[in-house]
Amino acid sequence: SAVISQKPSRDICQRGTSLTIQCQVDSQVTMMFWYRQQPGQSLTLIATANQGSEATYESGFVIDKFPISRPNLTFSTLTVSNMSPEDSSIYLCSVDQQYRGGEQFFGPGTRLTVL
Amino acid sequence: AQKVTQAQTEISVVEKEDVTLDCVYETRDTTYYLFWYKQPPSGELVFLIRRNSFDEQNEISGRYSWNFQKSTSSFNFTITASQVVDSAVYFCALSVPGGATNKLIFGTGTLLAVQP
């Protein structure tokens, strides 16, 4: 399975600021995904990031709030913009290694606290 | 629309007990995949199993077993002789292949607490 790393692992930020989360994979992958897990909740997909195209956002998530970059097949970033305490969550990236039949493997997550 | 329901919010057992985590899914598609993931207190999501809709064979992996029944749209997960290290949140998930994305739809998770 792919090895996925995320930076930072955790951060405490002030209201109104922005944070960029990095996701690095040790192999080339077609699809990368960004999920949000609010405290005590399940995972919700924010967007799908394919290299060479614009990210596809799920209902309730917009590019101005969560801009995503996917410059190559091993790397992606998610920015959480103009943060509020409601953005306090774990943000996880995942990859879909289709040759393994659609399994998604997840990074360790970024724990974000907004004060 | 697709949906995954994990009706058990929390389960508490004593070590060595067997425990079954329930998962019921909804989809109109005939081709789909079902997954179980484990999320220990450290927060990372650990892949446990993937099953496609055409394979109803039950699977056993050590102390873990999965029972897939299309007739009841269920994909239940049993841990035999539970251990304290099994304490975690367990998520069932569904994906429908094709289109621009292969997104996972997660259930709300079941928190399993195994007491020594």
Side-chain angles (χ1 to χ4, degrees), chain A residues 2-3 8-9 19 24-26 30-31 37 43 47-49 52 56 59 61 64 71 76 82-83 88 93 104 107-108:
Chain A
V3 177
S9 58
L19 176 72
Q24 179 75 52
V25 190
D26 69 342
T30 304
M31 289 185 178
Q37 186 179 22
L43 285 81
T48 302
T56 303
S59 175
F61 297 96
D64 290 346
S76 178
N82 189 24
M83 289 184 285
S88 297
C93 70
Q104 284 189 30

Coordinates of all heavy atoms in Angstrom, one line a residue, chain A residues 2-3 8-9 19 24-26 30-31 37 43 47-49 52 56 59 61 64 71 76 82-83 88 93 104 107-108:
Chain A
A2 N 0.3 2.4 -0.5 CA 1.0 3.6 -0.5 C 1.3 4.1 0.9 O 0.5 3.9 1.8 CB 0.2 4.6 -1.3
V3 N 2.5 4.8 1.0 CA 2.8 5.5 2.3 C 2.5 6.9 2.1 O 3.0 7.6 1.1 CB 4.3 5.3 2.6 CG1 4.6 6.0 3.9 CG2 4.6 3.8 2.8
P8 N 1.1 20.0 8.5 CA 1.6 19.6 9.8 C 0.7 18.4 10.4 O -0.3 18.2 9.8 CB 1.5 20.8 10.6 CG 0.3 21.5 10.0 CD 0.3 21.2 8.5
S9 N 1.2 17.8 11.4 CA 0.4 16.8 12.0 C -0.7 17.4 12.9 O -1.8 16.8 13.1 CB 1.3 15.9 12.9 OG 2.0 16.6 13.9
L19 N -4.5 28.1 6.8 CA -3.5 27.1 7.0 C -3.5 26.2 5.8 O -4.5 25.8 5.3 CB -3.9 26.2 8.2 CG -2.9 25.0 8.5 CD1 -1.6 25.5 9.0 CD2 -3.5 24.0 9.5
Q24 N 1.8 14.1 0.9 CA 2.8 13.6 0.1 C 2.6 12.0 0.0 O 2.5 11.4 1.1 CB 4.2 13.9 0.6 CG 5.3 13.4 -0.2 CD 5.6 14.1 -1.5 OE1 5.7 15.3 -1.5 NE2 5.6 13.4 -2.6
V25 N 2.7 11.5 -1.2 CA 2.6 10.0 -1.4 C 3.9 9.5 -1.9 O 4.5 10.2 -2.7 CB 1.4 9.7 -2.3 CG1 1.1 8.2 -2.3 CG2 0.2 10.5 -2.0
D26 N 4.2 8.3 -1.6 CA 5.5 7.7 -2.0 C 5.4 7.0 -3.4 O 6.4 6.5 -3.9 CB 6.0 6.7 -1.0 CG 5.2 5.4 -0.9 OD1 4.0 5.4 -1.4 OD2 5.7 4.4 -0.4
T30 N -3.5 8.4 -9.2 CA -4.4 9.2 -10.0 C -5.3 10.1 -9.2 O -5.3 11.3 -9.3 CB -5.3 8.3 -10.9 OG1 -4.4 7.5 -11.7 CG2 -6.1 9.2 -11.8
M31 N -5.9 9.5 -8.2 CA -6.9 10.2 -7.4 C -6.4 10.5 -6.0 O -5.9 9.6 -5.4 CB -8.2 9.5 -7.3 CG -9.0 9.4 -8.6 SD -10.6 8.6 -8.3 CE -11.3 8.7 -10.0
Q37 N -13.0 15.5 9.3 CA -13.6 14.8 10.4 C -13.8 15.7 11.6 O -12.8 16.0 12.3 CB -12.8 13.5 10.8 CG -13.5 12.6 11.8 CD -12.8 11.4 12.2 OE1 -11.6 11.3 12.1 NE2 -13.5 10.4 12.7
L43 N -16.3 10.8 8.7 CA -15.6 11.5 7.7 C -16.5 12.0 6.6 O -17.4 11.3 6.2 CB -14.5 10.6 7.1 CG -13.3 10.3 8.0 CD1 -13.6 9.2 9.0 CD2 -12.1 9.9 7.1
A47 N -13.3 17.2 -1.2 CA -13.1 17.3 -2.7 C -12.2 16.2 -3.1 O -11.5 15.6 -2.4 CB -12.5 18.7 -3.0
T48 N -12.3 16.0 -4.4 CA -11.4 15.0 -5.1 C -10.4 15.8 -6.0 O -10.9 16.7 -6.7 CB -12.3 14.1 -6.1 OG1 -13.2 13.4 -5.3 CG2 -11.4 13.1 -6.7
A49 N -9.2 15.5 -5.9 CA -8.1 16.2 -6.6 C -7.4 15.3 -7.6 O -6.7 14.4 -7.2 CB -7.1 16.8 -5.6
G52 N -3.8 17.7 -13.0 CA -4.1 18.3 -14.3 C -5.5 18.8 -14.5 O -5.8 19.3 -15.6
T56 N -12.7 18.7 -7.7 CA -14.2 18.5 -7.7 C -14.7 18.6 -6.3 O -14.3 17.7 -5.5 CB -14.6 17.2 -8.3 OG1 -14.1 17.1 -9.7 CG2 -16.1 17.1 -8.4
S59 N -20.9 18.9 -2.2 CA -21.9 19.9 -1.8 C -21.6 20.4 -0.4 O -21.3 19.6 0.5 CB -23.3 19.2 -1.8 OG -24.3 20.1 -1.3
F61 N -19.1 22.5 0.2 CA -17.7 22.9 0.3 C -17.4 23.7 -1.0 O -17.8 23.3 -2.1 CB -16.8 21.7 0.3 CG -16.9 20.9 1.6 CD1 -17.7 19.7 1.6 CD2 -16.3 21.2 2.8 CE1 -17.9 19.0 2.7 CE2 -16.4 20.5 3.9 CZ -17.3 19.4 3.9
D64 N -13.3 28.7 -2.6 CA -12.8 29.9 -1.9 C -12.4 29.6 -0.5 O -11.5 30.2 0.1 CB -13.8 31.0 -1.9 CG -14.0 31.6 -3.3 OD1 -13.2 31.4 -4.2 OD2 -15.0 32.4 -3.5
P71 N -0.2 19.6 -8.0 CA 0.8 19.9 -9.0 C 1.4 18.7 -9.7 O 1.9 18.8 -10.8 CB 1.8 20.7 -8.3 CG 1.7 20.2 -6.9 CD 0.2 20.0 -6.7
S76 N -0.3 17.0 -3.0 CA -1.5 17.8 -3.0 C -1.5 18.7 -1.8 O -0.9 18.3 -0.7 CB -2.8 17.0 -3.0 OG -3.9 17.8 -3.0
N82 N -9.5 31.7 6.0 CA -10.3 32.5 6.9 C -11.0 31.7 8.0 O -12.2 31.6 8.0 CB -11.4 33.3 6.1 CG -12.1 34.3 6.9 OD1 -11.6 34.8 7.9 ND2 -13.3 34.6 6.5
M83 N -10.2 31.0 8.7 CA -10.7 30.0 9.7 C -11.5 30.5 10.8 O -11.3 31.7 11.3 CB -9.5 29.2 10.2 CG -8.8 28.3 9.2 SD -7.5 27.3 9.9 CE -6.2 28.6 10.1
S88 N -12.4 23.6 13.3 CA -11.6 22.7 14.1 C -12.0 21.3 13.8 O -13.1 20.9 14.0 CB -11.8 23.0 15.6 OG -11.3 24.3 15.9
C93 N -6.0 13.3 4.1 CA -6.0 13.0 2.7 C -5.9 11.5 2.4 O -5.5 10.7 3.3 CB -4.8 13.7 2.0 SG -3.2 13.0 2.4
Q104 N -9.0 2.8 -0.7 CA -8.4 4.1 -0.3 C -7.6 4.0 0.9 O -8.0 3.4 1.9 CB -9.5 5.1 -0.1 CG -10.1 5.6 -1.4 CD -11.0 6.8 -1.3 OE1 -10.8 7.6 -0.3 NE2 -12.0 6.9 -2.1
G107 N -3.8 9.2 4.9 CA -2.7 9.7 5.6 C -3.0 9.8 7.1 O -4.1 9.5 7.5
P108 N -2.0 10.2 7.9 CA -2.2 10.2 9.4 C -3.1 11.3 9.9 O -3.5 11.3 11.1 CB -0.8 10.4 9.9 CG -0.1 11.1 8.8 CD -0.7 10.5 7.6

